[in-house]
Amino acid sequence: MNSDDVEILVSQVTNSTKMDANLLQQFIESVASHKIELGAVEKWLRAVHANGISVEETSQLTKGMMHSGEVISWLDNSLVVDKHSTGGVGDKMSLMLAPILAACGLKVPMLAGRGLGHTGGTIDKLESIPGFNCSLSPVEMKKQVEEISCCIAAQNDAIAPADGLLYAIRDVTDTIDSLPLITASIISKKAAEGLGALVLDVKCGAAAFMQRQSDAEDLAKSMVGAAKRLGINTVAQITQMDYPIGRFVGNSLEVLGSIKVLQNNGSADTLEIVSFQCQELLVMTKLADSPELAREMISGVLADGTALEKFKQMCVYQGVRPDIAQQLVQEPEIVLPQSAMVTEIKSEESGYVSEIDAMALAVIARRHGAGRFAIDDSIIPEIGFEILPNRGDYISEGEVWLAFHHNDDIDEDTMIELNQAIHLSGKPIQQTGRLISKIS
Ligand code: URA
């Protein structure tokens, strides 16, 4: 596609007239095959970012991007499901959701990403398990899901390749935060898995990309609309993201926290969120007649060890030695990488824990190697935090509230930031759940 054709699309977007459908389709194909000038793509992205596009155009863009690569097809996709989260601190849900749902009878061909900004990525977390291979082709994903009902693979060039280039250019042109572009990017990849049902977790709060509830709901509506137009039964849950999720933050530490949940011995907060998502999908696919029955199914596969066994099976299918996978699910601390130092942070006062600043912890962990600053940075899997009190717990002055797993020395400024990351109240805290609202 030549630059003049892109110019037509750019002026249509700028003048808020409908983009020519054939030109838009050619544009997507040229982006996917990299047969287009990068400057022209950049111009188009800037125009969409500045002016927005209609719901119908977003839908066409999403569908075009979905079909720019392979689409996994299933004989019957009514039980084929997945979840997407917009990213949180300590958000380890995918690691548990896939094996729990597989153990309940659903199929989960999950594509996942690496860490983005201050939030961790499922692929980075899984790769902290020795031998775990996330590089699966669509054919390998399908085969594994047919055999054991779940897989978690890294996004790759075979699936929605148009997104690969668009995302990379958005990243360097400051055009990431555009509703239609986020919608098309996320939903095109999920739709390429051939799903029957999808649950979206749209995080909202100080440590989320969307800080205001109205922005989170607008994004949720846009994604739900685009996915439904592609025939995927979709529900979005808006969930609170100020306080870190569960007890563990950091790549290998979140694997540890996930295994504890699968051992039926994990944090109640983590279990609450993953249960919402699993419950929604079990009801949407009619595998459960009610949320209560879905809840019983989830409790059942956690209590009898079948979800943990599924996780182990997934590890072995994806390259982990069987003896290591066995030890991982029994004694995860022995298998997972450990930091050189663990520093305990003590509370300077007494009181009820009203807030723990998830953003502050994420920023510190990233600085110590848990996250990336540039796309080709490597991460240090063992860096992170263990948070000891739950929100609302009473802690006394001198009591340890945080264990920082780190390899480099902690400087004075970081120590001050850590001490300021906890907020205490003199009065008991009113407990609130994570779920803020639902869009369907
Ligand atoms: N994740 C994606 O895959 N795409 C976006 O645009 C944002 C988050």
Side-chain angles (χ1 to χ4, degrees):
M1 183 179 214
N2 62 40
S3 302
D4 289 347
D5 288 337
V6 182
E7 220 27 84
I8 298 175
L9 287 177
V10 170
S11 74
Q12 287 167 340
V13 173
T14 312
N15 298 325
S16 298
T17 48
K18 192 174 172 316
M19 271 188 287
D20 181 299
N22 286 332
L23 276 186
L24 179 59
Q25 184 54 31
Q26 278 176 44
F27 173 77
I28 297 165
E29 285 165 17
S30 308
V31 169
S33 59
H34 292 213
K35 288 189 183 134
I36 189 161
E37 250 185 66
L38 297 188
V41 180
E42 196 178 316
K43 254 185 153 177
W44 181 85
L45 285 169
R46 286 192 194 282
V48 174
H49 183 256
N51 299 283
I53 54 176
S54 69
V55 170
E56 198 191 331
E57 288 166 313
T58 305
S59 205
Q60 199 201 337
L61 177 64
T62 311
K63 193 170 177 186
M65 285 168 62
M66 166 195 174
H67 288 287
S68 68
E70 289 181 46
V71 175
I72 304 180
S73 67
W74 309 91
L75 228 44
D76 172 6
N77 76 349
S78 55
L79 298 182
V80 181
V81 302
D82 199 359
K83 178 230 48 150
H84 177 84
S85 160
T86 57
V89 177
D91 185 357
K92 48 192 94 59
M93 301 309 137
S94 297
L95 276 61
M96 297 158 281
L97 175 131
I100 290 173
L101 291 179
C104 289
L106 292 175
K107 294 192 184 305
V108 190
M110 185 182 288
L111 277 171
R114 295 185 188 279
L116 191 68
H118 66 280
T119 65
T122 300
I123 298 303
D124 292 326
K125 291 168 198 174
L126 284 172
E127 284 180 350
S128 66
I129 301 171
F132 201 101
N133 169 33
C134 292
S135 303
L136 304 183
S137 68
V139 170
E140 288 166 332
M141 287 175 70
K142 185 171 181 194
K143 181 168 183 287
Q144 182 170 324
V145 170
E146 276 168 346
E147 290 177 12
I148 65 162
S149 299
C150 63
C151 73
I152 303 182
Q155 282 151 16
N156 58 64
D157 285 348
I159 302 260
D163 183 57
L165 185 61
L166 287 182
Y167 195 85
I169 301 179
R170 283 168 64 205
D171 200 22
V172 292
T173 53
D174 254 349
T175 51
I176 288 281
D177 59 339
S178 148
L179 230 83
L181 296 176
I182 298 175
T183 298
S185 171
I186 291 171
I187 301 302
S188 62
K189 288 175 289 200
K190 289 291 160 189
E193 296 171 5
L195 303 181
L198 172 65
V199 67
L200 299 166
D201 181 6
V202 181
K203 298 283 182 208
C204 173
F209 292 108
M210 295 295 174
Q211 302 188 347
R212 290 203 313 241
Q213 189 175 336
S214 58
D215 291 340
E217 286 177 349
D218 285 346
L219 176 60
K221 281 178 199 153
S222 173
M223 292 197 290
V224 169
K228 282 189 165 172
R229 279 166 174 243
L230 289 167
I232 307 168
N233 187 6
T234 306
V235 171
Q237 300 173 339
I238 316 290
T239 61
Q240 188 274 349
M241 186 63 256
D242 295 311
Y243 196 90
I245 301 170
R247 256 182 67 190
F248 297 95
V249 174
N251 294 284
S252 68
L253 286 166
E254 290 187 39
V255 175
L256 173 65
S258 303
I259 292 173
K260 285 185 186 292
V261 170
L262 293 168
Q263 287 171 334
N264 213 16
N265 187 26
S267 99
D269 185 30
T270 307
L271 180 62
E272 181 195 12
I273 302 176
V274 76
S275 296
F276 280 152
Q277 299 168 349
C278 291
Q279 183 183 310
E280 198 81 65
L281 287 164
L282 287 165
V283 172
M284 283 159 86
T285 53
K286 303 199 169 49
L287 225 56
D289 290 336
S290 66
E292 293 69 34
L293 287 175
R295 215 61 190 203
E296 278 177 28
M297 288 171 82
I298 296 161
S299 308
V301 297
L302 289 173
D304 70 10
T306 50
L308 185 66
E309 186 61 26
K310 232 352 134 191
F311 179 80
K312 183 178 97 182
Q313 207 178 19
M314 180 173 75
C315 290
V316 172
Y317 261 70
Q318 293 192 229
V320 181
R321 261 183 27 208
D323 57 324
I324 294 188
Q326 182 59 37
Q327 192 169 32
L328 177 70
V329 298
Q330 281 172 335
E331 301 165 292
E333 290 94 338
I334 294 181
V335 173
L336 294 167
Q338 301 292 323
S339 61
M341 293 171 264
V342 178
T343 300
E344 293 183 334
I345 312 293
K346 293 181 179 152
S347 178
E348 296 178 326
E349 299 164 26
S350 301
Y352 295 92
V353 179
S354 59
E355 254 339 308
I356 287 178
D357 185 340
M359 193 64 174
L361 295 189
V363 167
I364 295 167
R366 188 181 183 197
R367 243 177 12 227
H368 276 253
R372 293 184 183 76
F373 289 91
I375 194 113
D376 50 0
D377 284 351
S378 53
I379 56 132
I380 308 172
E382 60 270 25
I383 305 304
F385 296 102
E386 185 176 352
I387 300 152
L388 301 169
N390 295 310
R391 188 165 183 271
D393 283 355
Y394 184 83
I395 59 167
S396 305
E397 184 185 335
E399 198 176 323
V400 176
W401 70 274
L402 186 73
F404 184 15
H405 294 237
H406 58 109
N407 292 345
D408 296 330
D409 288 339
I410 309 175
D411 61 30
E412 246 177 70
D413 287 348
T414 303
M415 205 44 129
I416 293 170
E417 284 165 19
L418 286 171
N419 283 322
Q420 288 176 345
I422 188 164
H423 300 258
L424 302 176
S425 158
K427 294 194 206 113
I429 304 300
Q430 204 191 341
Q431 294 287 3
T432 48
R434 289 271 181 183
L435 187 62
I436 299 171
S437 63
K438 259 175 40 167
I439 308 279
S440 56

